[in-house]
């Protein structure tokens, strides 16, 4: 019995010692794993001071971009030859509708700048070019100083559907603006094109530097004239200053770009939201800031004169009357002090043309921010609930 008791005590001691060793080993292993996780997270973290791995990633992206945008390897020519589908027939019918509308207005549609631009776009479309030489690549603009891509990318289109939809979207505004401004419309066109391209490049640089996302900067190229179409729509809507019906809603013509932006991204999955939004912002900046400043410096007149006139109180009707038929002497009716005070109050309440102009400018920027927020929210939702769609390697705008 004494031996058995000693053996049981010995086994208990051994089991306790063994469990202590196992626990110590587990703690040591957990500590090693924790250190490994910390080291891994420090290597792959996006901190202000990039680590060796981040530097390697940056050099790898630059190397692949240099190869991608060089003359090495195979290349793709645009426009691509695609089979007609539903989108193609819809774009052709939309183009026919736009042309018939312009013909039925009874105004001259053969404007020199419009005809020259459409002829150039059509000629390039029937003579395919290399995509990597004409698309708007932020990497090529910043690193290789190829600023001509800002202009060249606007005259190249992805396929027949792309060019038909863009011409249908731009034809009405471009004809109206050329009839309204004459040869000066060319400056509007150049300004909006340059602004949209620079904003797109700046957006890609912002993503690369601050969001640590280099895909838009290194690997993306945009083509098409729809960014110009959005900018011209903002300008023509501001100059028309009328009410239009959009899906049963009566809205100001200067805000119709919101509906076109929504339709274009609901119907065309491969279109570039950044390109379209940059075109819209360029139109807002040109219409509300650059163009009024240019008119003021060129003519020395108040660019908000029309707004001032439209906001002034209506002139009072004359109160002249004949006192008698025999003696046609004229006397002016006395205006009561109450009516004069009301007229002065109306004049004080009416805002100035500049204030009204800046108010519409702020509303436009607010609509841009709301559109961007909706797009970001929808993109996150689609990532969580993906939908099977056909995408292209190039963004078209």
């Amino acid at each position: 019995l004494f031996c058995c008791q000693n053996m049981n005590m010995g086994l208990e001691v051994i089991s306790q010692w063994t469990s202590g060793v196992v626990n110590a080993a587990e703690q040591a292993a957990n500590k090693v794993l924790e250190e490994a996780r910390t080291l891994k997270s420090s290597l792959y973290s996006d901190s202000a001071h990039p680590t060796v791995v981040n530097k390697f990633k940056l050099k790898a992206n630059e190397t692949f971009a240099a190869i991608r945008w060089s003359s090495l390897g195979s290349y793709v020519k645009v426009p691509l030859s695609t089979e007609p589908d539903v989108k193609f027939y819809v774009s052709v019918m939309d183009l026919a509708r736009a042309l018939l509308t312009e013909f039925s207005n009874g105004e001259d549609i053969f404007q020199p700048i419009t005809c020259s631009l459409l002829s150039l776009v059509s000629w390039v479309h029937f003579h395919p070019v290399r995509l990597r030489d004409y698309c708007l690549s932020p990497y090529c603009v910043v690193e290789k100083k190829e600023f001509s891509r800002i202009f060249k990318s606007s005259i190249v289109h992805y396929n027949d559907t792309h060019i038909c939809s863009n011409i249908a979207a731009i034809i009405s505004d471009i004809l109206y603006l050329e009839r309204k401004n004459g040869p000066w419309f060319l400056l509007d066109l150049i300004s909006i094109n340059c602004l949209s391209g620079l904003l797109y490049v700046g957006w890609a640089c912002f993503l690369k530097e601050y969001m640590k996302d280099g895909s838009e900067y290194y690997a993306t190229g945009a083509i098409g004239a729809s960014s110009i179409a959005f900018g011209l729509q903002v300008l023509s809507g501001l100059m028309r200053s009328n009410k239009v019906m959009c899906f049963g809603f009566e809205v100001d013509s200067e805000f119709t770009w919101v509906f076109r932006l929504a339709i274009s991204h609901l119907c065309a999955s491969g279109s570039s939201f950044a390109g379209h939004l940059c075109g819209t912002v360029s139109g807002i900046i040109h219409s509300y800031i650059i163009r009024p400043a240019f008119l003021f410096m060129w003519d020395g007149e108040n660019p908000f004169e029309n707004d001032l006139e439209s906001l002034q109180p209506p002139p009072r009707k004359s109160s002249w009357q004949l006192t008698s038929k025999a003696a046609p002497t004229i006397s002016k009716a006395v205006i009561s002090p109450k009516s004069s005070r009301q007229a002065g109050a109306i004049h004080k309440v009416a805002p100035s043309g500049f204030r009204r102009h800046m108010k519409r400018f702020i509303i436009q920027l607010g609509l841009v921010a709301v559109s961007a927020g909706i797009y970001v929210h929808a993109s996150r939702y689609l990532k969580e609930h993906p939908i099977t769609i056909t995408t292209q390697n190039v963004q078209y705008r």
Side-chain angles (χ1 to χ4, degrees):
L1 290 174
F2 178 76
C3 293
C4 291
Q5 289 177 357
N6 290 336
M7 289 179 62
N8 290 332
M9 293 176 60
L11 291 174
E12 289 179 1
V13 171
I14 293 173
S15 63
Q16 291 177 0
W17 181 79
T18 306
S19 61
V21 172
V22 171
N23 291 333
E26 288 180 355
Q27 292 177 0
N30 291 332
K31 189 174 181 180
V32 171
L33 290 175
E34 187 66 26
E35 292 292 336
R37 292 192 189 99
T38 305
L39 179 61
K40 181 181 179 182
S41 61
S42 64
L43 286 175
Y44 289 94
S45 62
D46 296 329
S47 58
H49 304 283
T51 58
V52 177
V53 176
N54 288 332
K55 289 183 178 181
F56 176 77
K57 289 181 180 179
L58 180 62
K59 290 297 182 181
N61 287 332
E62 292 178 352
T63 303
F64 288 132
I67 297 173
R68 181 183 293 111
W69 301 110
S70 67
S71 58
L72 301 175
S74 60
Y75 55 85
V76 177
K77 283 191 173 184
V78 289
L80 299 179
S81 57
T82 56
E83 294 294 331
D85 55 359
V86 177
K87 293 182 181 180
F88 171 74
Y89 293 116
V90 171
S91 63
V92 170
M93 289 189 291
D94 190 22
L95 177 59
R97 177 203 56 79
L99 293 176
L100 288 175
T101 302
E102 294 300 325
F103 274 109
S104 61
N105 288 337
E107 299 180 357
D108 185 17
I109 67 170
F110 297 101
Q111 302 294 326
I113 298 177
T114 302
C115 292
S116 301
L117 179 62
L118 295 181
S119 300
L120 177 62
V121 171
S122 302
W123 186 87
V124 173
H125 190 73
F126 289 104
H127 294 78
V129 296
R130 291 194 295 185
L131 176 63
R132 66 185 180 192
D133 293 339
Y134 277 76
C135 67
L136 180 57
S137 166
Y139 170 81
C140 294
V141 173
V142 176
E143 304 291 340
K144 303 174 71 174
K145 312 299 180 184
E146 297 180 359
F147 299 105
S148 61
R149 289 178 178 267
I150 296 176
F151 300 96
K152 293 192 300 183
S153 61
S154 300
I155 61 175
V156 179
H157 291 84
Y158 186 71
N159 52 21
D160 297 336
T161 304
H162 190 201
I163 189 173
C164 289
S165 60
N166 277 357
I167 293 178
I170 204 174
I171 188 69
S172 176
D173 297 326
I174 197 174
L175 285 173
Y176 172 79
L177 292 172
E178 188 170 1
R179 295 192 196 105
K180 190 80 173 177
N181 302 331
W184 294 103
F185 165 67
L186 185 61
L187 296 179
D188 296 328
L189 190 64
I190 295 174
S191 175
I192 290 176
N193 188 16
C194 290
L195 279 174
S196 63
L198 292 176
L199 286 173
Y200 182 78
V201 174
W203 168 250
C205 294
F206 171 79
L207 291 179
K208 181 179 77 75
E209 294 295 333
Y210 297 100
M211 305 301 292
K212 305 303 179 183
D213 182 10
S215 59
E216 195 83 15
Y217 180 82
Y218 289 108
T220 304
I223 57 175
S226 57
S227 60
I228 301 177
F230 277 96
L232 293 179
Q233 187 178 15
V234 175
L235 177 59
S236 65
L238 179 61
M239 296 184 68
R240 294 177 196 266
S241 297
N242 57 359
K243 299 286 186 178
V244 295
M245 296 297 296
C246 290
F247 299 98
F249 298 95
E250 189 181 41
V251 297
D252 292 334
S253 57
E254 56 190 308
F255 302 126
T256 54
W257 62 266
V258 179
F259 296 91
R260 179 179 291 180
L261 184 67
I263 293 173
S264 63
H265 287 276
L266 288 175
C267 299
S269 59
S271 57
S272 171
F273 181 81
H276 290 170
L277 204 64
C278 288
T280 303
V281 175
S282 68
I284 294 172
I285 294 174
H286 175 80
S287 304
Y288 290 89
I289 297 179
I290 296 179
R291 196 170 189 275
F294 176 79
L295 292 176
F296 178 75
M297 291 186 296
W298 183 263
D299 294 333
E301 298 180 358
N302 185 7
F304 314 106
E305 184 178 358
N306 294 332
D307 291 340
L308 287 170
E309 292 177 357
S310 63
L311 291 174
Q312 294 298 329
R316 296 187 297 270
K317 294 184 179 180
S318 177
S319 301
W320 300 91
Q321 59 181 2
L322 297 176
T323 56
S324 65
K325 294 182 180 180
T329 57
I330 301 176
S331 63
K332 187 175 181 181
V334 179
I335 301 176
S336 64
K338 182 179 179 181
S339 62
S340 63
R341 286 196 300 269
Q342 290 177 350
I346 293 174
H347 181 72
K348 290 179 181 178
V349 170
S352 65
F354 178 76
R355 286 173 57 191
R356 182 170 179 262
H357 191 80
M358 296 308 298
K359 181 180 178 181
R360 291 184 294 184
F361 174 68
I362 294 173
I363 292 174
Q364 293 278 31
L365 293 182
L367 290 175
V368 169
V370 171
S371 302
I374 293 175
Y375 178 79
V376 170
H377 179 74
S379 301
R380 290 178 179 175
Y381 179 81
L382 289 177
K383 287 182 180 179
E384 296 176 359
H385 308 278
I387 300 175
T388 303
I389 56 176
T390 302
T391 57
Q392 306 293 343
N393 294 328
V394 62
Q395 293 182 350
Y396 48 93
R397 40 175 197 152

